[in-house]
Amino acid sequence: MAKFEYAPAPESRAIVSIKESYGLFIGGEFVPGLDGRAFKTISPATEEVLAEVTEAGPADVDRAVSAARKAYEHTWSQRPGKERAKYLFRIARIVQEKARELAVLESLDNGKPIRESRDVDIPLVAAHFFYYAGWADKLEYAGYGPAPGPLGVAGQVIPWNFPLLMLAWKIAPALACGNTVVLKPAETTPLTALAFAEICQQADLPPGVVNIVTGAGETGRALVEHPGIDKVAFTGSTEVGKQIARACAPSRKKVTLELGGKAANVMFEDAPVDQAVEGIVNGIFFNQGHVCCAGSRLLVQESVYDEVLASLRRRLATLRLGDPLDKNTDVGAINSAAQLARIRELSEAGEAEGAQRWSPPCELPVKGFWFPPTVFTGVSQAHRIAREEIFGPVLSVLTFRTPAEAVEKANNTPYGLSAGVWTEKGSLILWMASRLRAGVVWANTFNKFDPASPFGGYKESGYGREGGRHGLEAYLDV
Ligand code: NAD
């Protein structure tokens, strides 16, 4: 099937005004860092410098934690839930009003297609604030006792794949429960968190309730190890999650970890092929595969293998890779040079270990960080590409004959974040779902999110749940 030629349809970037440099957001205002250090954030699609951002040192983190403590003790924890809810509703509405601007900013800083930031990320950010605003005055009915109280100050560290959405997952439930927060966005995608700081000002949120400190791993470490915080919420790699768990073990801090994944997307022979292929594509090529719950291992029943592979290849040939701001783009840029190097390294390991690599014909832009949609066949369970998280647009295909074999292979991973099942038989869906060791099991769909639905992992994918009523528990003293 040939690709239609479309004229370029770029979303205008004139709607965002990016400052040349940004300070830290502490105590309700932007302040310079104490030691004057800064780093640059770039557009991964063009390598253009977007802004200079302050690198917070330990003394800055200390200031932010003090501001959050003060706001917790004197203001936020004293406000009744219905008052806190008003601020969260206000934030949700401002996010909706600024949706276009936030979507363009996210696509510029992250490299994801505007269709995804516009239709998925930003609407879900607003939905999260609306959802938790609704809980703020009903916490006594959440099933955690008659008068559940907040924990105190939360230190929150997030990754770069869904920058503003991960912020919403962290901040909305924390504030609804009466906690104050210090949040550190990822070093490659700080801009929407800083735009969110401006939204907090616009919403008149009391100073110190939300503090944003920018920086890399060292800033994150200073935050999670700070003795003045009561709760650590981390989303990122399993490796860093383990370090954080070790660092917090001797303290009284409550910890939740949302880590990596290597999800199986299991396709049975009775599944409608075209619908399942759409789900497979969405499962691994959405957001360039920078998705912790991505369906990166396709398990396809042997009897339909040839048909599915042919259909998948046909579909991949129609994906458009390129300018993230173009409304027709399906696959955007890889978020950083470091992530591109990791994807390349693992893909080369796949070939070296004997798997067959295939990508559709696809022209990569000269500037920026790009990787074509890639499928590996002939993959065995021992291959690194079947075991390690690639966090890129790379699918490993394996086969199975019986449902029992599918379960065995799907669970043969140190991770357990998500899984997908494609079949027309409801009984088989339930049989599989009760055996798959994954926090989320999608049936005849993939990568579906809703603020009311809890999300989280088993095994090395972490512990604790975000979203839904379950997500409140992480921020309540229960
Ligand atoms: P990463 O662990 O390197 O970084 C995540 C965040 O932690 C960044 O803000 C980083 O600056 C900070 N950080 C780094 N070292 C730290 C330290 N020692 N102490 C405290 N903070 C530190 O991960 P990444 O490469 O940015 O993100 C990709 C990973 O995140 C993938 O493994 C992915 O699966 C995972 N992820 C998980 C979920 C989930 O909900 N389970 C969601 C998104 C991403």
Side-chain angles (χ1 to χ4, degrees):
M1 186 172 27
K3 234 188 275 191
F4 287 109
E5 285 302 325
Y6 287 158
E11 176 72 60
S12 164
R13 62 180 280 182
I15 191 166
V16 291
S17 63
I18 304 176
K19 297 195 180 91
E20 243 171 63
S21 64
Y22 288 87
L24 306 167
F25 185 65
I26 297 178
E29 48 188 81
F30 285 92
V31 296
L34 291 175
D35 59 12
R37 296 210 304 189
F39 61 100
K40 292 182 169 55
T41 184
I42 64 168
S43 150
T46 59
E47 297 175 57
E48 164 202 355
V49 173
L50 296 171
E52 195 171 85
V53 178
T54 303
E55 185 178 333
D60 297 310
V61 169
D62 194 48
R63 272 195 300 168
V65 172
S66 300
R69 172 66 53 196
K70 196 166 148 214
Y72 175 72
E73 276 168 11
H74 302 293
T75 317
W76 199 242
S77 66
Q78 311 297 319
R79 299 262 166 116
K82 65 177 188 205
E83 285 300 316
R84 296 198 302 271
K86 281 187 199 165
Y87 289 99
L88 293 175
F89 278 123
R90 209 179 282 167
I91 288 171
R93 284 194 298 266
I94 300 174
V95 168
Q96 283 185 321
E97 278 161 23
K98 292 181 168 236
R100 213 169 127 221
E101 181 182 335
L102 292 169
V104 172
L105 191 59
E106 198 75 299
S107 282
L108 278 172
D109 206 16
N110 170 281
K112 65 174 69 200
I114 187 74
R115 268 197 310 123
E116 291 178 5
S117 48
R118 183 194 65 194
D119 298 347
V120 182
D121 294 52
I122 307 302
L124 278 173
V125 170
H128 253 82
F129 277 99
F130 278 121
Y131 177 79
Y132 280 108
W135 269 116
D137 62 349
K138 301 173 196 71
L139 295 174
E140 62 268 43
Y141 307 110
Y144 301 113
L151 291 167
V153 176
Q156 307 178 316
V157 177
I158 55 172
W160 44 261
N161 55 344
F162 293 92
L164 194 60
L165 184 56
M166 290 297 107
L167 174 150
W169 281 27
K170 297 272 177 289
I171 292 185
L175 264 50
C177 293
N179 305 275
T180 58
V181 307
V182 180
L183 176 134
K184 191 199 84 65
E187 54 273 37
T188 56
T189 53
L191 292 183
T192 45
L194 294 163
F196 182 81
E198 290 167 357
I199 291 175
C200 292
Q201 288 179 323
Q202 205 181 328
D204 251 338
L205 191 71
V209 173
V210 168
N211 304 274
I212 309 280
V213 289
T214 41
E218 279 313 302
T219 309
R221 190 205 302 265
L223 176 57
V224 299
E225 294 184 3
H226 195 289
I229 59 171
D230 306 290
K231 152 88 190 171
V232 171
F234 173 76
T235 296
S237 61
T238 295
E239 193 189 333
V240 174
K242 284 181 183 173
Q243 284 172 29
I244 291 175
R246 273 194 290 271
C248 295
S251 75
R252 59 177 173 77
K253 290 172 196 164
K254 195 164 166 177
V255 180
T256 41
L257 300 173
E258 299 278 3
L259 310 176
K262 190 76 193 173
N265 206 355
V266 184
M267 186 178 166
F268 286 95
E269 60 190 358
D270 64 331
V273 172
D274 289 346
Q275 189 189 332
V277 163
E278 280 309 303
I280 293 161
V281 170
N282 173 41
I284 183 64
F285 300 112
F286 170 66
N287 204 34
Q288 295 71 248
H290 300 329
V291 182
C292 49
C293 50
S296 52
R297 284 183 301 149
L298 171 64
L299 302 186
V300 58
Q301 199 156 16
E302 220 170 78
S303 46
V304 289
Y305 175 82
D306 290 336
E307 185 188 353
V308 171
L309 257 285
S311 174
L312 182 62
R313 288 190 171 135
R314 260 197 316 276
R315 178 67 180 93
L316 291 184
T318 67
L319 292 182
R320 286 161 208 279
L321 176 146
D323 180 5
L325 286 187
D326 193 308
K327 291 167 206 159
N328 294 321
T329 293
D330 300 302
V331 181
I334 300 301
N335 179 250
S336 65
Q339 188 57 29
L340 180 59
R342 175 162 171 77
I343 299 168
R344 284 187 176 146
E345 195 242 317
L346 275 163
S347 300
E348 278 154 25
E351 276 182 302
E353 287 184 324
Q356 288 86 53
R357 177 178 181 162
W358 180 88
S359 290
C362 159
E363 213 175 294
L364 300 184
V366 182
K367 278 228 135 194
F369 316 127
W370 304 91
F371 199 86
T374 298
V375 176
F376 276 100
T377 49
V379 179
S380 92
Q381 292 188 82
H383 287 164
R384 282 182 69 197
I385 53 168
R387 307 198 62 77
E388 295 180 33
E389 186 181 43
I390 301 175
F391 221 57
V394 182
L395 178 68
S396 299
V397 185
L398 297 97
T399 57
F400 67 92
R401 290 183 183 168
T402 64
E405 189 188 346
V407 170
E408 179 95 18
K409 285 187 167 162
N411 287 342
N412 184 9
T413 166
Y415 295 111
L417 197 53
S418 64
V421 180
W422 297 85
T423 170
E424 284 199 325
K425 295 190 188 73
S427 56
L428 184 55
I429 290 172
L430 296 176
W431 190 89
M432 290 291 291
S434 63
R435 285 164 179 77
L436 291 169
R437 297 287 292 162
V440 180
V441 179
W442 284 295
N444 295 325
T445 185
F446 209 92
N447 275 340
K448 275 258 183 283
F449 301 99
D450 189 286
S453 175
F455 184 89
Y458 280 96
K459 302 193 282 186
E460 293 198 11
S461 292
Y463 42 79
R465 293 291 177 267
E466 291 190 309
R469 182 185 69 79
H470 302 75
L472 295 167
E473 190 183 350
Y475 291 98
L476 291 172
D477 188 11
V478 289

